[in-house]
Amino acid sequence: MNLLLVEDEPNVVSVVVRGLAAEGFNVSVAPDGHTGEKMALTNHFDLIILDIMLPGINGLELCKIIKKEKPNVPIIMLTALGSTENIVTGLDNGADDYLIKPFKFAELFARIRMLLRRYNGSTNPDQIINISDLQINLTAKNVKRGNNEITLTATEYRLLEFLARNKSKILSRIDILENVWDIDFNLGTNVVDVYVNYLRKKIDKNSDQKLIHTAVGLGYVLKES
């Protein structure tokens, strides 16, 4: 499950991301309203968590924008504004739920589960990861770059999916070996480098925007340039 958190308070970001990651969610973070708008409208998220008091576009306006374009994406307002008027305004602007800071993580997690159950089957039945013009359908296990279908071997697909699920995160060769091949790191193997090169030839070769990047001395990362 891919979640978007639009929040500018580092302490809240840390608590939410750490807690949801421990529950198996992949959480992307936007620190302001404009970034949140771009990420929400150009990527697939199963649920979005919004603060109201954000730099740039405030959470209420952002909620309206997202719901207009993607009405089937559940949104939770997570804010310090806790008056009845604030809550009514948030719900009137399209929010599905409203949680007041300070909050207990267990309550946030319960509300996320409730909304995901409610929306299950009414959203996109396929789980999709979009990064730039790269689209990975996790249900059908097929891949497109722009309008072009890309044929991958099973191992190439597992590698791409792992990189995509960890978008913008530098992954070491150890991380990749343990998660894609399920083997312990062997200093003598270059299997990761070989398969990354295979992927590059299929994913990036005919595109001006390269998505698979080398972090020298650290590993690899899939991200928009």
Side-chain angles (χ1 to χ4, degrees), residues 76-141:
I76 298 177
M77 289 289 190
L78 183 62
T79 177
L81 301 177
S83 72
T84 300
E85 183 181 357
N86 293 141
I87 296 172
V88 170
T89 301
L91 297 175
D92 283 348
N93 278 275
D96 296 276
D97 205 345
Y98 195 104
L99 186 59
I100 301 166
K101 301 175 185 176
F103 63 95
K104 293 182 178 179
F105 177 77
E107 183 177 1
L108 173 63
F109 184 45
R111 293 181 183 222
I112 289 172
R113 292 200 310 270
M114 177 192 69
L115 283 175
L116 290 176
R117 285 196 301 269
R118 183 194 304 172
Y119 275 80
N120 186 33
S122 63
T123 57
N124 187 343
D126 294 325
Q127 295 297 307
I128 306 291
I129 297 178
N130 291 298
I131 302 173
S132 183
D133 61 342
L134 176 68
Q135 182 182 91
I136 305 167
N137 186 315
L138 303 180
T139 304
K141 297 193 181 303

Side-chain angles (χ1 to χ4, degrees), residues 134-136 142-145 148-150 152 157 160 203:
L134 176 68
Q135 182 182 91
I136 305 167
N142 58 36
V143 178
K144 290 182 178 180
R145 186 79 195 263
N148 299 316
E149 291 259 6
I150 298 174
L152 301 177
Y157 175 82
L160 179 62
I203 301 296

Side-chain angles (χ1 to χ4, degrees), residues 1 5 27-30 32 36 48 53 62 69 88 90 96 202 209:
M1 288 286 184
L5 172 65
V27 185
S28 300
V29 178
D32 59 75
I48 297 173
M53 296 182 290
L62 180 55
E69 299 295 325
V88 170
D96 296 276
K202 293 184 177 182
Q209 184 183 28

Side-chain angles (χ1 to χ4, degrees), residues 26-92:
N26 182 39
V27 185
S28 300
V29 178
D32 59 75
H34 290 297
T35 304
E37 178 186 13
K38 180 180 178 181
M39 292 176 68
L41 299 185
T42 58
N43 298 281
H44 169 75
F45 292 103
D46 298 284
L47 182 141
I48 297 173
I49 303 170
L50 294 180
D51 191 5
I52 289 180
M53 296 182 290
L54 292 167
I57 305 172
N58 69 55
L60 295 173
E61 186 64 27
L62 180 55
C63 186
K64 286 194 294 185
I65 292 170
I66 295 171
K67 281 293 188 177
K68 181 179 179 181
E69 299 295 325
K70 297 187 174 184
N72 290 323
V73 176
I75 294 177
I76 298 177
M77 289 289 190
L78 183 62
T79 177
L81 301 177
S83 72
T84 300
E85 183 181 357
N86 293 141
I87 296 172
V88 170
T89 301
L91 297 175
D92 283 348

